[in-house]
Amino acid sequence: MSAQLVIKELKALAKPNVARDLQRFFKTGPGEYAEGDVFLGVVVPQTRRIAKNYFDLPLPEIKKLTESDFHEVRFCGLLILVAQFEKAKAIDLRKKLFDFYMKQLKAGYINNWDLIDVTGVRMGTFLTTEKTALTTLRKLAKSKNLWEKRMSVIFTFAFQKIGDPYPTLEMADLLMKDDHDLIHKAVGWALREVGKMDGPLLRNFLKENVSIMPRTMLRYSIEKFTPAERKRWLNA
């Protein structure tokens, strides 16, 4: 198995018209958040199918995928990496794969919200057993890099899955004054999920922060409330 074969299969499915649509959707134009990213025009189900067929790809070959210029190639590499991480039993191997994932993030290869949202929730499970987890999350939240900041929020979904909403609330506090819409949406989404777990906890958080929360963040966080309650929060 090799990265070259994966790329060949992806390129065989490429459609220029789909690529143009994806590049508009993912904001790759000048001055946009994913400026310069290049798409082949391969849809997600096709990419997932190819990734599944290359589950045993060695890490050096995965690296060639995750460092590709093409968005779908990077996505495919990350899907393979996550699948290997989730199957790994040995803590040393899980750490090796997680550390590789973090290096790819820091190097700028995990650089759009779809790559982060699909893989970060699953890779974040590694942090749930790490004593330094909050330190890692705080560093990401305080980064100047948009994608590292978003990852700090998405990682906290793994904590929610084991019944711990507090990392999400801390990241929300740290990112409350961030000025990017993609951060507002991520934090609001994460807060909404906290509300599903513990409605009073979310409402207490909102009481303390509603006056300073960006409107998009607030709207996302109260999305599951009744229309009447949403209106009260929006008018607060």
Side-chain angles (χ1 to χ4, degrees):
M1 287 190 171
S2 70
Q4 185 177 3
L5 290 175
V6 177
I7 295 169
K8 183 179 179 180
E9 287 197 32
L10 287 167
K11 286 186 173 181
L13 296 170
K15 293 184 178 179
N17 60 317
V18 175
R20 286 192 295 270
D21 290 342
L22 290 172
Q23 289 188 196
R24 283 194 297 270
F25 181 74
F26 284 103
K27 307 297 185 184
T28 65
E32 294 182 311
Y33 60 71
E35 180 178 355
D37 201 359
V38 181
F39 284 76
L40 289 169
V42 182
V43 296
V44 172
Q46 293 173 320
T47 305
R48 288 186 181 276
R49 185 170 63 250
I50 291 172
K52 188 176 181 180
N53 291 337
Y54 287 87
F55 172 83
D56 293 323
L57 199 68
L59 194 57
E61 295 299 303
I62 294 175
K63 185 173 186 288
K64 294 176 184 177
L65 299 179
T66 57
E67 296 184 0
S68 170
D69 291 336
F70 295 109
H71 186 98
E72 295 95 333
V73 176
R74 296 198 305 280
F75 186 40
C76 192
L78 291 171
L79 290 175
I80 296 168
L81 178 71
V82 170
Q84 291 186 8
F85 170 81
E86 291 183 324
K87 189 175 180 181
K89 302 298 183 184
I91 187 62
D92 288 349
L93 177 56
R94 286 172 63 82
K95 185 177 188 308
K96 178 181 179 180
L97 296 174
F98 180 81
D99 287 348
F100 173 80
Y101 181 82
M102 291 299 291
K103 287 179 181 178
Q104 297 301 94
L105 175 66
K106 293 285 186 180
Y109 297 113
I110 307 176
N111 59 349
N112 214 316
W113 58 263
D114 62 322
L115 305 180
I116 290 170
D117 295 1
V118 170
T119 64
V121 175
R122 296 156 71 185
M123 294 298 292
T125 58
F126 179 81
L127 292 175
T128 61
T129 58
E130 289 294 295
K131 294 180 179 179
T132 59
L134 284 176
T135 299
T136 298
L137 294 176
R138 289 167 187 150
K139 286 181 179 178
L140 290 171
K142 293 175 182 178
S143 170
K144 294 181 179 180
N145 181 274
L146 168 63
W147 307 119
E148 291 180 24
K149 288 188 287 187
R150 188 172 175 102
M151 189 68 83
S152 75
V153 181
I154 300 305
F155 273 158
T156 69
F157 280 87
F159 291 86
Q160 290 190 32
K161 286 185 175 181
I162 61 170
D164 183 3
Y166 291 98
T168 296
L169 298 183
E170 182 169 343
M171 295 309 105
D173 273 329
L174 289 174
L175 294 165
M176 187 65 63
K177 295 182 179 179
D178 194 88
D179 61 2
H180 204 289
D181 187 61
L182 285 179
I183 300 301
H184 301 168
K185 290 177 179 178
V187 173
W189 171 27
L191 289 173
R192 183 188 70 202
E193 297 305 304
V194 168
K196 291 180 182 179
M197 182 192 313
D198 190 332
L201 182 63
L202 173 58
R203 288 172 175 86
N204 286 336
F205 183 86
L206 293 175
K207 285 178 185 177
E208 295 176 3
N209 295 285
V210 66
S211 63
I212 60 172
M213 288 179 77
R215 298 299 279 184
T216 297
M217 186 186 297
L218 176 60
R219 288 182 183 277
Y220 270 59
S221 66
I222 62 176
E223 192 174 41
K224 296 300 180 180
F225 291 0
T226 65
E229 186 176 6
R230 287 202 302 272
K231 186 175 180 180
R232 289 198 299 273
W233 284 110
L234 291 169
N235 291 332

